[in-house]
Amino acid sequence: MADKSNEKVLIKGNYAIAQAAINAGCQCYFGYPITPQTEIGEYLSGKMQELGRAYVCAESELGAINMVMGAVSTGVKAMTSSSSCAVSLMQEALSYASSDELPVVLVNVMRTGPGLGYIYPAQGDYNQAVYGGGNGDYKLIVLAPSTVQECVDLTYRAFYLAQKYRNPTMILADGLLGQMMEPASFGEYPYPEVDVSSWALTGAKGRDARKIYSVATDEKKQIQHIYDLHKKFEVIAENETTYEEFNTEDADIVLVAFGSMTRNIKAAMNVLRAKGKKVGCFRPVTLSPFPYKALKSLADKGKDLVVVEMNMGQMLKDVKYAVEGKVNVSFVSRPCGEWLSVEEIVDAVEDIMVSNTSKSIQPGSVKEVSYAAARA
Amino acid sequence: MADKSNEKVLIKGNYAIAQAAINAGCQCYFGYPITPQTEIGEYLSGKMQELGRAYVCAESELGAINMVMGAVSTGVKAMTSSSSCAVSLMQEALSYASSDELPVVLVNVMRTGPGLGYIYPAQGDYNQAVYGGGNGDYKLIVLAPSTVQECVDLTYRAFYLAQKYRNPTMILADGLLGQMMEPASFGEYPYPEVDVSSWALTGAKGRDARKIYSVATDEKKQIQHIYDLHKKFEVIAENETTYEEFNTEDADIVLVAFGSMTRNIKAAMNVLRAKGKKVGCFRPVTLSPFPYKALKSLADKGKDLVVVEMNMGQMLKDVKYAVEGKVNVSFVSRPCGEWLSVEEIVDAVEDIMVSNTSKSIQPGSVKEVSYAAARA
Amino acid sequence: MGKIIIDNNRCKSCYICTTTCPKGLIKKSSKTNRLGDYMVEFDDPKGECIGCAMCAKRCPDMAITEVYR
Amino acid sequence: MGKIIIDNNRCKSCYICTTTCPKGLIKKSSKTNRLGDYMVEFDDPKGECIGCAMCAKRCPDMAITEVYR
Amino acid sequence: METNFILAGFGGQGILLAGTVLANAFMLEGKNVTWYPCYGAEMRGGTVNCEVVVSDTEVSSVHKQDTDYALVLNQQSFDRFVQRVKKGGTIIANSTLVAESKPRNDINYVFAPMGDIANSLGTSKVTNVVSLGVLSSVCNIVSKEYLAKGVEKVLGEKKKDLLPLNEKALANGFDALLTKV
Amino acid sequence: METNFILAGFGGQGILLAGTVLANAFMLEGKNVTWYPCYGAEMRGGTVNCEVVVSDTEVSSVHKQDTDYALVLNQQSFDRFVQRVKKGGTIIANSTLVAESKPRNDINYVFAPMGDIANSLGTSKVTNVVSLGVLSSVCNIVSKEYLAKGVEKVLGEKKKDLLPLNEKALANGFDALLTKV
Amino acid sequence: MQQQELKEGVNIGVNAGEKGMVQVFSIPKSMKENFRYTFCPGCDHGIAIRLVAEVIDELGIREDIISSTSVGCAVFLYDFLEVDCVEAPHGRALASATGVKRARPDKVVFTYSGDGDFASIGLAESMHTALRGEKVTSFCINNTTYGMTGGQLGPTTMMGQVTTTSPTGRNKEYFGYPIKVAEHIALCDGTAYSARVALDSVPHINEAKKAIKKAFQVQLDGLGFGFVEILSSCPTNWHMTPEEAHERVRNEMIKVFPLGVFKDVSA
Amino acid sequence: MQQQELKEGVNIGVNAGEKGMVQVFSIPKSMKENFRYTFCPGCDHGIAIRLVAEVIDELGIREDIISSTSVGCAVFLYDFLEVDCVEAPHGRALASATGVKRARPDKVVFTYSGDGDFASIGLAESMHTALRGEKVTSFCINNTTYGMTGGQLGPTTMMGQVTTTSPTGRNKEYFGYPIKVAEHIALCDGTAYSARVALDSVPHINEAKKAIKKAFQVQLDGLGFGFVEILSSCPTNWHMTPEEAHERVRNEMIKVFPLGVFKDVSA
Ligand SMILES: Cc1ncc(C[n+]2csc(CCOP(=O)(O)OP(=O)(O)O)c2C)c(N)n1
Ligand SMILES: Cc1ncc(C[n+]2csc(CCOP(=O)(O)OP(=O)(O)O)c2C)c(N)n1
Ligand code: SF4
Ligand code: SF4
Ligand code: SF4
Ligand code: SF4
Ligand code: SF4
Ligand code: SF4
Ligand SMILES: [Mg+2]
Ligand SMILES: [Mg+2]
């Protein structure tokens, strides 16, 4: 069905990611089921066997991510996919992979948290992805698709960037995107193959043995290593930060969202434009590196911002950080479940435009009764 | 040796935390060794057995934190302790514990990351602790001691706050503090016992059965739950945010640090004051809730800030966020190992005062040679 | 002589009871439940039920809530 | 007749070899290494070494680097 | 302009597949379209549904509380989704399994014996495709021709032999209201 | 005013304990004091060290690159820590195991046969306490009286019987330089 | 025989039913009032939970119980049993139970989890709880798949079995072999009781109940860890009718996972 | 006999040594040049690594090897062996090795970890690697404690053993029982070879080498998972001289952890 042609096919976000991984040359998939991303592994189980590539039903997400680390250390492309609470289990390994500079590719199709939460789509793992839930100073590259087509495109990009920079790279999707179908075309994997021969483990034949590790019993080396990782990420930020802007030029107010919420702010913008309101949209494609500069320059131009998220204000903080108090930054949110509708966003933005100060709005928020945690 | 008297004893930070836990009435300790905090478990192994309390050598940190969750669900006080990479393994459980509102107490005696890193002291887990390395919207209470005496005091406070707010609470120390000895006195546990009878699991005798869980298959309930957790944390922020200020009143420039780096900025302040420079100090005691308002009001008074950390700028970001671009925020750091010395801080601050703009300084930073990750 | 009570609200029409009863006293009825499945009924005109409770023991949904003998 | 070579740089003075040699040819010497421990020496004036390599096999630090027979 | 459809029935009525055919039809027609299922434990209790949204521009809300068209194949789904039809919207129900009631008076009702029509073709399994035929006769943005192409696409090479039956189902569904009148 | 001390030797020379006694002495005198060991894999290779810092106010740098006083019990430690003594600072070495050399000329050197003194008391195990005696004779902020109290505190009730021996070691250490002169 | 089985196997009502009859089966008291299982039709989880409830009733321990439930179809246990429950993350039920029991040694602690939970993601926690000889009771529902997530290959999936992640069946090259849970637990020195039972027939159900009771009894007697692996059907993910599913248990599963008591220190 | 043992047990130099002698022992070629172990005096890690190196030499596989090392005293393996190595977090060596092997099935993959790493924190990963029958070779150094962190109670600590976290000895109430690693691994169907050996004497060292070779051979022959549990001394944390430590291995450990081959599908 889905292949390398340019023909459009109607396909689920989860399957799109899986097929794109195949096209990108992913040699190994390791995974453990969890809704709403289990279909990635299900799709790949048959295909990878047919292609003679590796597929392991890992014993857990801990197992899976460590298998990926082992596999990519040999220079092949490999990935795992999971969701929210189970991604939390991978934080130690991600911190290791960053330090070991292993080109791990990881997909998080977000569900609701904290804890087990539930399978409703949400965007509550922004902090974990962007700030790094693991220990120490490191950063993942984080790509957030907003359409099924981007599930394809950003999966391609994830494999490329991971190897290019030898940095773990995450595709941060959500249950909505994972579960929906939309037309998308695959085409060929558009990036060059990265030369890994200088570091990949292939057996010490005709060269010195190679060691990939993060521990440095020499303090100076350890410090240098942390500086080098930091500098690498500055290069990544310089080269790879991507975002989209729509109608920001003449806008008085700019809506900011990531992932599949982008769809809704764009529609809300259209509605508001139709009503004569000068509204624009801004959407980071890379959440890490985050487009601080681009947002700063919007603020410098005096545009008020409205951040729209399916969480309690995680990207909001980065946006506020970027604009350094220069403009009003308002917030429209629901923490999970039913995606904020275009109408809700439109209403909220109109409300904000009237009041002309920063505001936090939770449309149709449920009645605020106290919620006993020992829910008898 | 260490007991409940007010007499001062010379004691290691690790032991101080352990003895304070005993005094606070910690009934169960579950742990797995990792340098530089293994002595907490070692100290408790004998004492807890003598006292007839519970002590388990857990099979892993995953096991340990989940044992704590089980134990505290019954209303008793319990804790675990660990360090950096191993704390990364606990992120799923911490997210669950937050959602389940379980009064888990966790000690992180930080070492160097990312990954395994090494046993040098560092402050690289600020983000993980403060932003929550787990999935979803939740916050830990995070207390950062700066002296061995505070290892005692803040351990007491951690047990109290955890139960008072039914929120997981972390003591974020570092290897320096864990390993050093300093005089400290214990005294009696100074907080009232929190009544847990309304929620603790003790068997459904003469009442309905109680269920503690985070999953809500009803969307509205889940949303309400997230709002309630959020609101609870606002109450915590209102009531429990603590910080220390020294000589900020007349200061032109205020040094900001947390944990044991506080000692060094205070000494640096004294040196600079002696040289006639108007320097003050600010130190968050609670990293979460973070004293945004207090920092904001320093900024409102036009005081430039210098953040001093043993990491690549983690608290720095929160400080900048707090001051909204109103004042210069400079940064002095080393990512691990040798603590920044008083002299290094003094030099850096003098340098900053001369240039009069924001600056990032890494004293004696190692030569910037490229560091191949396949370190053959 | 025995007797059973079936709670149609709990029954999920798995039909395990129908093959379990040694006397063949439980049958698919022609009534459907809200999912459109045919419900089961206790059909013992001759009073053959021995109250062995095998049906209840194998009912996965405790839809056979009482057995008498 | 045999012969062994001890690398004093590797030897950690664990003395396992001294009790392993069936001929008792390896002895604590009076020389100390940089940690202040007494080093071992191969002392085979009568050429008793049979080159069995038992010493080398049990040396945890491969400080007995060569055995000849 | 966005139009959205909810398709609902009980598990086994092939409702997700019907949605897929509809979405493929729109795609083949060159429109922007999304398809979104209920998933996971939401599926327990036996009913299944999916939403299809078609748009001139990129689809905004993939998953909405209200809908323009609800296509429901059983009573439970009727009872649930009749509440979610927009004012002025339409509910299209399989009268073989749904009682012909009109609980609201601000929406349109279409009842057709989709199950009976399918049975008359020899199998109740094509009730879903019959229902799409009915839909296209009621809703002019749903093209009968592209539905046929959608069916062809979804059946694919492997199940090509089922195509004639499904085409018939589509046609009979399309004609259902005519015959009834 | 902060003064800092590094105590170093090989594992088994009781250097961490000596540091603990010194730190206790300062504490009992009512001063602010910290003690900080090398730990973990740093300890491999056999040498051990700890730092004691005493101050009128809260101790700032618990762990420093340079030191006012280095008390070293073996040659390896001498070689390493002679480099870390501050200009004008003092290194105090156990001449029983350390060759009397003076590689720098901007610091003070004190050599005393601490090991021999300990051996003369019947056991090399008290070399560490002897060394503290030497230290207090050289450094006037280290009080011999409080060192004795520190020893008592560290020995505790259980090892009280060792007190006389250790007091003797302290005294003989204190007198070491006198006798030598 | 039948008579005897009944005495042990079901609750015998003390009050006569209508028309002077004796009630020989009723819903266990430990079930939550008006519960209605959310399991799929024909799913054996329902029987297993009932047996646990019957044993709790018979031992009179309902008010002393604190249970830990982790994730899987089993998670909904807390909706059905009128006993205190604390949630644990997927795979960590036994660590959580250890914490509960150490905190409240006087309480009766049990866990109820799926094979994926107990033997895949949670294997280390499960086995170490057995090794430590924690005085807790654990049940592992072996349905040869991850039921809740829709039937993927799990630690007990049988050779050749088709699942959503082994579309051509479990083969050893890609997927290796299933684990023998009850045998491994029996091999742990802290285990007091380890058995494997099935729920495919009335005699097996009766045996299962005895095992469940024994697994609680060793806890009550302070002997160590009590464990029962319960072979169960998952008609939904096996794509079988409930009847076919039970036949599979009977004819295929039991061959691979033999029933029996693998350890019983009280015997 | 002795003669034969030598042939198997050490590298026999082809060139005559001085004075026409034959070299019967030399440092394995797979050791890194000028390596110097950082283990404590008398630590058996040194012998175990040498045996691995000798086997690698004899099988001629050095250039085909990719190893995974996790955390413990074993971590420094990468400083000593001239083979490719990738680090894994504590306990995850076998997951990492699985990844390596699946990515490069033509390479020879092995892990070398401590008992804590393999059987405590990593037990699930270790056992599932065996269950999957991964064609990798694993060594578990059982020294009855966590050596690297300073000697705490671990999964193999023996009853009564005093450690820094069992100051009055391992008692069953608080700490339960040690795990029988080789037996559990043997019970996994994907295991081709599982043995337990010791390093306390020359005959045992010779046996150990044979087992190590066999564990590699089953990988090379594609038979499945190869495993050796190696009883080793930790004089530092046992607070014993190297000699005393070996006596403890001989007189106490082997009683609790019997030596032998527990499974060998090639036999
Ligand atoms: C860390 C984590 N990984 C994965 C999941 C998703 N998940 C929920 S239940 C389950 C498996 C259930 O299988 P099993 O334990 O055998 O129970 P069953 O449903 O078959 O009774 C999985 C993988 C999760 N909730 N958390
Ligand atoms: C997640 C994690 N937990 C704990 C540690 C600390 N740690 C390092 S090695 C080790 C145990 C080593 O014991 P073992 O595996 O038996 O090896 P040995 O040192 O005894 O050879 C521990 C607990 C760690 N590095 N990472
Ligand atoms: S009690 Fe026995 S005889 Fe009566 S209906 Fe049930 S199974 Fe049949
Ligand atoms: S066994 Fe129970 S659920 Fe199944 S059909 Fe019979 S009564 Fe209904
Ligand atoms: S080779 Fe044999 S005889 Fe010679 S020194 Fe070594 S152990 Fe002794
Ligand atoms: S066995 Fe080796 S390390 Fe030990 S004393 Fe002999 S030569 Fe030295
Ligand atoms: S999925 Fe399987 S195990 Fe879960 S409720 Fe349905 S039949 Fe039972
Ligand atoms: S601590 Fe033990 S295992 Fe580690 S190197 Fe020392 S003796 Fe060997
Ligand atoms: Mg299962
Ligand atoms: Mg060990």
Side-chain angles (χ1 to χ4, degrees), chain C residues 3-68:
Chain C
K3 177 176 148 56
I4 67 170
I5 311 252
I6 301 177
D7 178 348
N8 270 314
N9 202 31
R10 286 209 174 100
C11 174
K12 294 208 191 104
S13 303
C14 73
Y15 308 127
I16 291 174
C17 53
T18 64
T19 54
T20 300
C21 175
K23 306 286 175 186
L25 303 175
I26 310 179
K27 302 203 175 77
K28 235 190 231 193
S29 78
S30 55
K31 282 184 288 183
T32 55
N33 63 13
R34 43 184 195 140
L35 290 185
D37 290 318
Y38 295 108
M39 297 189 287
V40 293
E41 58 189 11
F42 179 53
D43 179 23
D44 187 17
K46 301 191 205 136
E48 288 171 277
C49 174
I50 53 173
C52 64
M54 286 171 75
C55 52
K57 282 190 185 179
R58 287 203 64 198
C59 172
D61 283 282
M62 277 189 265
I64 298 172
T65 54
E66 297 165 42
V67 180
Y68 295 94

Side-chain angles (χ1 to χ4, degrees), chain A residues 70-76 101-103 163 166 194-205 207-212, chain B residues 373-374, chain H residues 65-66 84-86 104 107:
Chain A
V72 299
S73 76
T74 74
V76 310
E101 300 188 67
L102 290 172
Q163 281 198 338
R166 295 185 57 192
V194 174
D195 181 6
V196 298
S197 63
S198 65
W199 60 268
L201 304 188
T202 52
K205 193 176 230 135
R207 59 161 171 76
D208 284 350
R210 290 175 178 162
K211 320 281 173 173
I212 296 183
Chain H
I65 283 185
I66 305 175
D84 279 7
C85 287
V86 61
R104 301 274 181 187
K107 301 294 167 188

